[in-house]
Amino acid sequence: MALLMETGFGDRPELLDQLAADGYLVIADALPRALTEGLLQEWQRRYAAGAAAPAQIGKGAQKHEAQSIRSDRIHWLEASDPQPDVAAWFAVMRSWSRAINQSFFLSINAFECHFACYEPGAFYQKHRDRFQKDNGRRLSLAFYLNRDWCSTDGGELVLFDPEAEDRILKTVLPTFGTLVIFDSQRFPHEVRPTRRQRLSLAGWLKSIPAHEAALQGTVLD
């Protein structure tokens, strides 16, 4: 998978075909193991230092905590983050966004991203990633940093059929190195309650005005 990191989807056209056909992808061992290990260690370091805060729902002035809907803790990242592994993660996103733009003409120009931690018992109820008055999020990503995860640990990501929202399309264990990409506007999804600490990176490839991307610190190029 090293080539996937270096050149985006250029050497894996079947992944773009699958994304076009299904609207989602699940990729095992998506990044070189050294980078995945580095991202895990960096998140553990920041979490231990108290960098995480309770996640919120909503946008702008309407943002608020809602523990009955989601109970994870998060730490936002900026594209200019100097930590080498985080910088490499954003480099991956730049490469992937170029390939996706060439294939799907989505005009992706920003990547919004945070570390996420679900402590035992934490969850995120079924939702879509699109805001009611903002369709900037085009593709959602989750990259998992959990060693030796098994089905009894819970914490699965569940994607639902947008045409029949009670029907499960895909259930993904948050295993170390697994990446999930899906259409932000189409797919309802949830994170089931976890039985052990669950660590990940979550983000959105976005198409938004350039000045907004600059203000948010999410500019890709």
Side-chain angles (χ1 to χ4, degrees), residues 46-165:
R46 296 189 190 195
Y47 194 69
Q56 297 180 318
I57 64 171
K59 182 176 174 64
Q62 283 72 48
K63 289 182 71 173
H64 63 283
E65 290 183 33
Q67 293 286 314
S68 63
I69 296 175
R70 66 179 301 185
S71 49
D72 54 323
R73 298 180 65 85
I74 65 173
H75 170 62
W76 287 100
L77 300 172
E78 293 191 356
S80 59
D81 194 304
Q83 199 280 332
D85 297 300
V86 175
W89 166 250
F90 275 95
V92 171
M93 293 303 110
R94 292 185 187 96
S95 177
W96 289 358
S97 68
R98 286 192 290 269
I100 291 168
N101 280 339
Q102 289 170 4
S103 295
F104 301 118
F105 307 103
L106 293 180
S107 301
I108 290 167
N109 65 340
F111 181 57
E112 181 180 55
C113 178
H114 59 64
F115 283 122
C117 176
Y118 289 73
E119 292 291 1
F123 60 91
Y124 196 161
Q125 288 187 359
K126 187 190 296 185
H127 65 285
R128 280 185 170 87
D129 282 345
R130 178 181 179 179
F131 295 111
Q132 288 186 347
K133 297 181 179 180
D134 181 354
N135 65 353
R137 290 177 174 179
R138 299 304 179 91
L139 292 171
S140 300
L141 296 92
F143 183 61
Y144 298 117
L145 304 172
N146 308 293
R147 298 191 188 96
D148 304 317
W149 199 272
C150 61
S151 59
T152 56
D153 294 325
E156 302 95 332
L157 173 71
V158 182
L159 297 181
F160 294 91
D161 187 338
E163 304 302 325
E165 295 191 13

